[in-house]
Amino acid sequence: MTTSPTVENAAHSGRTARTDNWWASPLMVALGFLAFIIYATYRAFENNYYEVNQYLSPFYSPKLIFDWWHFSPALLILWVPAGFRATCYYYRKAYYRAYFLTPPACGVVGTQGSSYCGETKFPWVLQNLHRYFFYAAAIVLLILWYDAIISFKTPDGHFSVSLLSLVMVLNCVLLSGYTFGCHAYRHLCGGALNCFSSNEQAKTRFKVWQFVTRLNEHHMGWAWASLFSVGFTDFFVSQVARGNMGPIPFF
Amino acid sequence: MANYETHEHDVIVVGAGGAGLRAAIEVSAQGLSVGLVCKSLLGKAHTVMAEGGIAAALANVDPQDGWQTHFRDTMRGGKMLNNWRMAQLHAQEAPDRVRELERWGAVFDRTKDGRILQRAFGGHKWKRLCHVGDRTGLEMIRTLQDQGVHQGITVYMECTISKLLKDGDKISGAFGYFREDGRYVLFKTKAVVLATGGVGKIYSVTSNSWEYTSDGQGLAYEAGADLIDMEFVQFHPTGMVWPPGVRGLLVTEGVRGEGGILRNSKGERFMFKYLPEATKNDYAATEEEAKEWVEATIHGKKSEARRPPELSTRDNVARAIYIENKEGRGSPHGGVFLDISYQDSERVKKKLPSMYHQFKELADVDITEGPMEVGPTCHYIMGGIRVEADSAQTRVPGLFAAGECAGGMHGSNRLGGNSLSDLVVFGRRAGLGASTYAKSVSGQPSINDSDINLAIEELEAPFNREGKNPYDVAKHMNSIMDAYVGIFREQKDMETGVAKLEELKKDVANVAVKGGKAYNPGWHLCRDLKNMMVAAEAIARSALSRPESRGAHSRLDFPDTDNGKWSTVNTSVYKDGDEMKLEHTPLPVMPDELKELFEEKEKAHA
Amino acid sequence: MRKATLKVFRGDKNGGDYTKYEVPVEEGMVVLDAIHYIQAKDAPDLAVRWNCKAAKCGSCSAEVNGKPSLMCKTRMDRFEDGEEIQVQPVKTFPIIKDLVTDVSWNYEVNKKIKGFSPPQDDNEWIIYQEDIDRVQEFRKCIECFLCQDVCHVLRDHDRKDAFMGPRFLVRTAGLEMHPKDTANRMKYLKDEGHIGFCNITKCCSEVCPEDIHITDNAIIPLKERVVDEFYDPVAKIFKSIFGGKK
């Protein structure tokens, strides 16, 4: 941490005058992300137990197998959701606070000094590419929906409902809520307009914008729920693939 | 002798609420240099508290509306004591001022077809109040502030004017200090526009902020202008009196409209006793009938039941609360209990959301859980500096006034929504008047050094003497005004009040304070007290001189409105030596074509 | 009667200290009431800025136990018995005296934003409510400057030289999204107001007493508009073909 010239004055000294547990929230976020990153990294490099019967782990979908690629196929696709989340406006808030301490909590000194320039310089200026990650993530999401739907069909062509399939669907629902509540999408679908009522097209975009706005209000909730669900779906698939358990079919 | 800095402008505007900002914008638009002096930061003026809206006969919602009807409503509301020309200009120009605000960026609520939405309000025949939710005043201030800033007005923030300077009988400057460090400042100017607002701080329960200390009235009075109609002080019947965190805050009439019940300390629903004979038959006779009306209203059903007595007129409710307290049946903190908590709490929250949230957040009072303690709260003063209607000039050459600190426009009672429109209509006119005047003055008028020395001596004096704490003196003034010149008045009380104020003058002249000049509120109050004293005395003497009840002036010993002499004169006070002189001056005579507006109306009714 | 102890900063830019005051706590009392009590009884020269005492003017901003707050909206019953309540001036702006700071920088920033620029026509404006809902949210701002105070870019990094701060991003959003405005402030936002300094850590939204969703509804949409104009070649091409409003 750089603590060049301190910004203190006669009435303020020290890190903060807050008396509450301001550190609890960033700590939990830091631990939560860390746990997920460790798990996801391990699974991405494991290159095994990601597919069993009609079930494909979301970490490995779409399955990109090429002769020239000698590593885990997950690495060819995971940059999309990882990039989408890394540039997401909610995650940015969360990790700037939890890992970069700019600031750790409101009214609490983390880093100081006038060398700060936010997201105006490389690499942070790349956060502006969030919308491109959104486009890519939306395509991947479509594929995950496809995976979830075909998981209802057993390899021998029967229709079957299993807990794992339902988990995959739920995962897609949560991912959709997260993806389509994206701030960049909210802008693209209608927020860019200054007048919602000027013509029929604008009116339609306004309706979409209103829907996206409702999702967007809970973007943090969707972000955590879908992060958990995507990890859990992969975990479930891997357990079935390892033979530790079955997909728990209902019929 | 202490140093002071000097600034020179063609026009100085004192006060940066709606009227002051609008005046400054006008001066600047006329191509003159203007300095806008405000006691607080820019954009914090009391105008931000205005909720209801700005009255203007745009006829967007009710196409029948027009300036004539607005004019008639205003005059009737003021019980015909208004300056007819001001009321006319106000009604005619308000629509243009509203459109102008929109062009400057104000974002009013809209009708379904995309025009400015207007709402109904007490005393206005048609739906006339353009509004932005319940924060119309804030919208107006921000719009004018930004317009002014981008026009290049020079603003002197947190600067208090303590003296107007004259060259002979003409205005030549203004002297004051900056709150920040107490440094003195001289403004050399050809004209001054006063737009300093009201006087609420002379009463203990008021919806007004600390700034409302009668500054403009005091400065103008000292400079030789006269104040008219000072007996007319508007009290809102239901302000919170407890807890202190929300003391003075208004409880909207809507609470009573939704079935709120007023009770005294004995638990009696006292309003039944106070219904005037003339209108008694319009109100419920029993608690059962009132309950039936409320039930019917809640469920949107038709019922023969009449309205609850709590929905009597404002002055009547205020009178009832006053008498209950006077006879010892008031609540512990000098009010009565207003109870809406007997109703379903979800419904109350839905129907009165801002009331619920405001009191819950600011004072942890849950209006759905228990009764509120309410009493009359000082809200607005109709009287003020007498001005000429078209130019807003006072009788002192070069001195102009607009907004609440000017008198005449509202007569003896102001309609809701007419204050915001008053600010912009007469703010603009004052700016225009001051510009025209300043252009006619050749060269900068001269400043008399001894005046400056006197002004500085006066400001420094509290540091150099032993005397009372200014906060105690202010409190004492409040208690005198509450007790003797409050909402209901009697000869004997007011005579006592005048005598006590006379005594208090000595304390005001001798307040003392410790500490330095940098941002010292106690020191500031020392000077403000002098202005407050002018308002207090003017109100007391004016009220004593008017032996009738009219509009906001309610005499227990003269309960009726007089249609003879007292309907034809304004009360005017002015400074004569060290004495306050009082006169009754004839009202300006309304031309026949405007008089016809009232006759027509009566014919239609007949 | 319950008593509370307030630790109030007394001093100016040259230094100062905390003075403890005992204040009787009445029902429904707020911190500003306690300060007024101290002013009237113990310290008439205690400097505090306030006007409406109803959370409508935004004058009484301070830091209560380290949290940027309006004193008129901070209730005394929020604190536990015996808890010392520390009242400080806001940190981000230079101290004048006691609880009063010099916020004039904000007014300077405001001047630089290009004002409302409607078309020059004389027709009555037809504007529908749904087109101004967004703008009306921004115009709720009471300019308490708590968002400016809590923003770490201004508070901890002191980049007042470069960053306009949340309050003025809100103002700009209100202008940019106004259906009748014709100006374009994107270049200003990027190169002079430095919207990129904001790392959307949302403290501004947390402290806003008017509940304006500063980050989600004002800053992020503006950031996206800046992206449209400067960081998104595809959108740029798209716009040059199909035309944009501004």
Side-chain angles (χ1 to χ4, degrees):
Chain A
M1 198 193 310
T2 52
T3 42
S4 43
T6 53
V7 184
E8 292 192 348
N9 61 38
H12 295 264
S13 59
R15 189 174 290 283
T16 182
R18 278 178 69 168
T19 50
D20 57 342
N21 297 333
W22 55 265
W23 44 265
S25 165
L27 183 68
M28 272 156 61
V29 168
L31 293 175
F33 286 170
L34 192 67
F36 183 83
I37 290 166
I38 291 171
Y39 175 77
T41 311
Y42 168 74
R43 284 287 296 148
F45 282 95
E46 191 180 16
N47 199 7
N48 203 352
Y49 306 117
Y50 57 78
E51 191 175 22
V52 52
N53 298 330
Q54 71 272 37
Y55 306 109
L56 178 63
S57 158
F59 283 14
Y60 285 81
S61 175
K63 201 168 64 183
L64 300 171
I65 307 285
F66 301 104
D67 294 343
W68 47 267
W69 184 254
H70 304 294
F71 306 102
S72 163
L75 303 182
L76 287 177
I77 195 63
L78 271 186
W79 63 270
V80 173
F84 183 48
R85 284 181 194 256
T87 57
C88 159
Y89 284 100
Y90 164 69
Y91 281 97
R92 274 145 77 179
K93 169 203 165 186
Y95 64 73
Y96 286 136
R97 282 197 187 192
Y99 293 128
F100 295 88
L101 311 182
T102 52
C106 302
V108 178
V109 176
T111 60
Q112 301 190 79
S114 56
S115 57
Y116 173 88
C117 52
E119 299 182 335
T120 56
K121 300 254 165 69
F122 184 83
W124 306 111
V125 72
L126 296 180
Q127 305 278 31
N128 287 314
L129 299 179
H130 185 47
R131 61 179 61 171
Y132 288 105
F133 284 108
F134 163 76
Y135 300 139
I139 295 167
V140 171
L141 178 63
L142 266 180
I143 297 167
L144 292 181
W145 270 110
Y146 172 80
D147 292 343
I149 290 162
I150 62 155
S151 77
F152 287 94
K153 196 174 146 197
T154 59
D156 53 3
H158 289 98
F159 177 73
S160 159
V161 177
S162 67
L163 185 62
L164 181 50
S165 288
L166 294 181
V167 165
M168 287 172 78
V169 169
L170 178 67
N171 180 42
C172 288
V173 169
L174 295 173
L175 283 172
S176 303
Y178 170 64
T179 308
F180 291 104
C182 161
H183 289 87
Y185 179 55
R186 181 171 178 235
H187 168 78
L188 295 163
C189 75
L193 297 170
N194 292 332
C195 190
F196 289 132
S197 59
S198 51
N199 56 51
E200 284 311 310
Q201 193 208 7
K203 285 179 189 166
T204 313
R205 288 177 68 183
F206 175 54
K207 289 201 181 104
V208 179
W209 178 84
Q210 281 181 303
F211 178 73
V212 173
T213 297
R214 278 203 293 279
L215 290 177
N216 181 266
E217 279 162 11
H218 307 285
H219 203 45
M220 177 178 88
W222 290 109
W224 278 102
S226 61
L227 189 74
F228 180 78
S229 75
V230 80
F232 182 74
T233 309
D234 171 78
F235 178 73
F236 202 161
V237 171
S238 74
Q239 290 306 306
V240 177
R242 283 174 221 268
N244 293 344
M245 62 191 292
I248 315 182
F250 300 117
F251 59 86
Chain B
M1 188 43 67
N3 284 329
Y4 56 86
E5 62 183 55
T6 306
H7 301 278
E8 200 170 312
H9 291 284
D10 293 317
V11 178
I12 286 291
V13 178
V14 186
L21 275 163
R22 186 62 190 85
I25 289 171
E26 194 60 29
V27 176
S28 157
Q30 296 299 317
L32 299 186
S33 132
V34 59
L36 178 61
V37 181
C38 53
K39 209 168 159 184
S40 288
L41 296 174
L42 185 60
K44 306 298 182 196
H46 203 60
T47 308
V48 301
M49 297 292 282
E51 297 181 342
I54 173 167
L58 287 171
N60 283 355
V61 178
D62 288 328
Q64 308 94 317
D65 203 6
W67 75 263
Q68 292 90 342
T69 329
H70 191 182
F71 167 73
R72 200 163 52 203
D73 291 347
T74 303
M75 292 295 296
R76 288 234 164 94
K79 299 288 181 287
M80 305 304 284
L81 214 64
N82 322 47
N83 178 322
W84 66 267
R85 178 64 179 156
M86 289 176 90
Q88 181 193 26
L89 289 170
H90 168 260
Q92 287 174 331
E93 293 178 4
D96 283 343
R97 297 287 79 75
V98 169
R99 284 184 213 112
E100 176 181 83
L101 284 170
E102 185 177 57
R103 293 276 156 167
W104 290 349
V107 185
F108 291 104
D109 288 353
R110 314 305 294 189
T111 63
K112 283 232 156 56
D113 55 355
R115 309 172 81 194
I116 295 173
L117 181 61
Q118 300 185 275
R119 65 159 64 119
F121 225 68
H124 291 281
K125 182 162 190 209
W126 307 111
K127 296 199 179 75
R128 191 178 282 152
L129 267 68
C130 314
H131 58 276
V132 188
D134 58 0
R135 51 165 195 88
T136 316
L138 175 68
E139 184 71 17
M140 207 165 109
I141 277 286
R142 208 59 85 224
T143 304
L144 293 171
Q145 178 185 342
D146 288 335
Q147 178 70 19
V149 162
H150 291 298
Q151 234 178 55
I153 290 168
T154 311
V155 185
Y156 301 91
M157 287 198 275
E158 300 202 307
C159 179
T160 305
I161 296 298
S162 72
K163 195 177 178 65
L164 297 178
L165 307 171
K166 294 201 291 185
D167 177 8
D169 63 341
K170 293 191 194 69
I171 287 294
S172 62
F175 191 83
Y177 62 86
F178 285 97
R179 297 168 69 78
E180 177 180 353
D181 48 9
R183 72 184 190 280
Y184 298 124
V185 57
L186 167 67
F187 295 101
K188 291 186 175 176
T189 184
K190 295 168 185 162
V192 167
V193 178
L194 295 171
T196 57
V199 306
K201 278 292 156 186
I202 62 172
Y203 290 94
S204 65
V205 180
T206 174
S207 58
N208 293 173
S209 84
W210 71 269
E211 295 185 293
Y212 268 33
T213 52
S214 179
D215 296 0
Q217 291 89 337
L219 292 172
Y221 174 83
E222 294 290 330
D226 59 336
L227 310 178
I228 57 164
D229 296 341
M230 290 297 282
E231 63 271 41
F232 300 111
V233 180
Q234 194 175 60
F235 287 82
H236 193 286
T238 56
M240 283 295 232
V241 295
W242 191 260
V246 285
R247 193 174 170 85
L249 268 190
L250 296 188
V251 180
T252 147
E253 269 171 51
V255 174
R256 281 171 284 143
E258 293 296 332
I261 293 172
L262 289 167
R263 290 187 198 280
N264 61 22
S265 59
K266 292 181 165 171
E268 294 161 346
R269 189 166 181 180
F270 58 83
M271 274 312 296
F272 287 109
K273 287 191 300 195
Y274 294 94
L275 294 171
E277 281 304 319
T279 54
K280 204 166 185 168
N281 289 331
D282 297 339
Y283 295 92
T286 60
E287 291 216 25
E288 286 69 35
E289 188 179 355
K291 196 175 167 198
E292 198 184 319
W293 183 90
V294 173
E295 291 289 324
T297 309
I298 291 175
H299 298 109
K301 280 189 292 203
K302 280 217 155 58
S303 159
E304 292 296 300
R306 292 165 295 179
R307 300 184 278 172
E310 281 80 7
L311 287 176
S312 183
T313 54
R314 276 188 186 187
D315 55 327
N316 201 39
V317 175
R319 187 193 334 265
I321 297 174
Y322 170 82
I323 295 172
E324 286 299 306
N325 272 282
K326 200 152 197 183
E327 295 177 357
R329 293 187 299 274
S331 67
H333 306 96
V336 293
F337 297 105
L338 172 58
D339 190 6
I340 187 93
S341 64
Y342 69 92
Q343 292 188 7
D344 175 54
S345 71
E346 286 312 310
R347 182 183 172 275
V348 174
K349 284 179 204 169
K350 209 168 144 196
K351 295 300 278 187
L352 302 161
S354 62
M355 279 292 112
Y356 173 75
H357 289 291
Q358 187 177 31
F359 291 120
K360 184 77 193 149
E361 273 185 33
L362 296 182
D364 196 24
V365 173
D366 189 340
I367 63 169
T368 69
E369 286 290 311
M372 295 167 258
E373 252 189 274
V374 298
T377 178
C378 177
H379 189 49
Y380 188 88
I381 184 160
M382 273 65 70
I385 308 159
R386 190 202 296 263
V387 292
E388 194 274 313
D390 288 74
S391 69
Q393 181 159 237
T394 68
R395 68 185 197 184
V396 179
L399 185 62
F400 298 76
E404 190 174 347
C405 74
M409 158 70 207
H410 303 288
S412 67
N413 209 355
R414 177 182 66 87
L415 298 186
N418 269 2
S419 54
L420 289 186
S421 38
D422 172 17
L423 302 183
V424 276
V425 167
F426 292 103
R428 173 181 159 277
R429 284 199 161 263
L432 202 58
S435 304
T436 311
Y437 173 86
K439 282 177 188 167
S440 74
V441 177
S442 53
Q444 200 69 254
S446 68
I447 303 280
N448 193 340
D449 279 344
S450 64
D451 287 345
I452 295 176
N453 293 344
L454 278 175
I456 294 176
E457 265 172 43
E458 187 198 2
L459 286 171
E460 305 248 311
F463 290 115
N464 306 326
R465 63 186 173 214
E466 292 296 313
K468 289 196 172 159
N469 176 338
Y471 291 91
D472 294 340
V473 177
K475 216 167 181 179
H476 190 190
M477 185 189 292
N478 290 163
S479 63
I480 295 172
M481 293 306 285
D482 290 349
Y484 305 109
V485 205
I487 177 162
F488 292 99
R489 299 155 178 181
E490 262 178 298
Q491 174 108 8
K492 196 161 61 5
D493 282 349
M494 286 187 288
E495 280 165 357
T496 318
V498 169
K500 288 194 178 251
L501 287 173
E502 203 59 47
E503 273 172 48
L504 189 73
K505 271 186 185 169
K506 286 177 214 128
D507 289 341
V508 170
N510 283 305
V511 282
V513 71
K514 293 201 167 47
K517 287 198 301 188
Y519 223 111
N520 184 340
W523 179 47
H524 305 152
L525 183 57
C526 291
R527 177 62 187 82
D528 292 346
L529 275 170
K530 194 175 156 193
N531 293 330
M532 290 160 73
M533 197 65 226
V534 171
E537 191 182 353
I539 292 170
R541 290 188 190 278
S542 301
L544 185 57
S545 81
R546 183 176 281 275
E548 63 155 352
S549 291
R550 177 183 298 271
H553 174 59
S554 305
R555 293 277 302 248
L556 295 170
D557 44 358
F558 296 95
D560 299 321
T561 304
D562 173 65
N563 287 321
K565 177 194 169 186
W566 297 105
S567 63
T568 62
V569 292
N570 294 111
T571 316
S572 150
V573 297
Y574 57 93
K575 192 177 177 193
D576 185 21
D578 275 338
E579 296 279 293
M580 183 176 279
K581 272 269 159 55
L582 188 142
E583 272 176 13
H584 291 111
T585 57
L587 277 173
V589 180
M590 196 188 293
D592 289 340
E593 70 264 26
L594 290 180
K595 274 188 191 152
E596 276 167 25
L597 286 172
F598 296 90
E599 283 151 19
E600 262 172 44
K601 179 76 183 168
E602 264 125 46
K603 270 183 225 151
H605 267 241
Chain C
M1 186 179 275
R2 192 161 87 88
K3 290 208 165 198
T5 309
L6 269 79
K7 243 175 83 182
V8 183
F9 178 78
R10 301 298 311 273
D12 55 27
K13 62 177 185 289
N14 301 317
D17 211 345
Y18 289 86
T19 310
K20 284 187 190 176
Y21 300 97
E22 289 246 303
V23 177
V25 180
E26 289 174 320
E27 188 192 336
M29 193 172 181
V30 292
V31 170
L32 186 59
D33 291 316
I35 296 290
H36 283 162
Y37 178 89
I38 296 167
Q39 240 181 11
K41 298 283 174 208
D42 301 317
D45 61 341
L46 169 61
V48 57
R49 198 180 260 141
W50 70 286
N51 284 306
C52 75
K53 223 179 91 57
K56 287 198 169 155
C57 75
S59 297
C60 62
S61 303
E63 296 184 11
V64 182
N65 280 355
K67 283 199 180 157
S69 326
L70 288 181
M71 286 188 277
C72 70
K73 235 185 148 179
T74 310
R75 291 205 316 267
M76 295 292 285
D77 59 13
R78 205 170 86 182
F79 307 101
E80 308 201 350
D81 266 339
E83 180 180 355
E84 269 186 5
I85 303 161
Q86 176 165 298
V87 189
Q88 293 166 289
V90 296
K91 181 182 178 189
T92 300
F93 301 109
I95 293 181
I96 292 176
K97 189 178 155 227
D98 303 336
L99 300 177
V100 177
T101 53
D102 176 4
V103 293
S104 56
W105 174 78
N106 292 289
Y107 292 89
E108 295 308 313
V109 176
N110 192 35
K111 282 184 197 163
K112 294 183 201 147
I113 301 169
K114 182 162 176 46
F116 182 54
S117 313
Q120 298 299 317
D121 61 31
D122 291 323
N123 315 327
E124 185 190 353
W125 282 355
I126 299 298
I127 303 171
Y128 295 97
Q129 187 62 41
E130 64 262 32
D131 291 325
I132 51 165
D133 280 337
R134 283 183 299 182
V135 177
Q136 286 189 329
E137 181 191 5
F138 306 140
R139 295 185 67 90
K140 286 196 302 188
C141 171
I142 56 174
E143 293 202 330
C144 63
F145 303 128
L146 286 175
C147 57
Q148 305 286 77
D149 175 44
V150 82
C151 174
H152 71 108
V153 181
L154 303 171
R155 184 184 179 91
D156 300 331
H157 303 287
D158 200 21
R159 293 309 305 268
K160 296 192 197 78
D161 57 323
F163 183 52
M164 64 205 292
R167 158 61 191 135
F168 297 104
L169 290 166
V170 167
R171 164 137 203 260
T172 310
L175 292 165
E176 282 290 318
M177 294 182 199
H178 193 298
K180 290 287 179 188
D181 183 69
T182 58
N184 183 332
R185 300 166 187 82
M186 290 305 125
K187 185 150 177 53
Y188 179 80
L189 278 183
K190 176 175 167 284
D191 295 333
E192 285 170 75
H194 286 109
I195 189 171
F197 276 42
C198 168
N199 67 347
I200 47 166
T201 33
K202 280 200 168 177
C203 287
C204 50
S205 308
E206 275 183 35
V207 299
C208 179
E210 284 292 310
D211 280 327
I212 300 172
H213 297 292
I214 300 175
T215 322
D216 287 324
N217 290 350
I219 301 182
I220 295 175
L222 285 181
K223 275 187 173 246
E224 287 296 322
R225 286 174 184 226
V226 169
V227 174
D228 278 349
E229 205 127 327
F230 298 101
Y231 297 106
D232 184 350
V234 179
K236 199 81 185 162
I237 294 164
F238 199 76
K239 235 183 182 173
S240 68
I241 297 168
F242 297 102
K245 185 207 135 189
K246 287 179 182 172

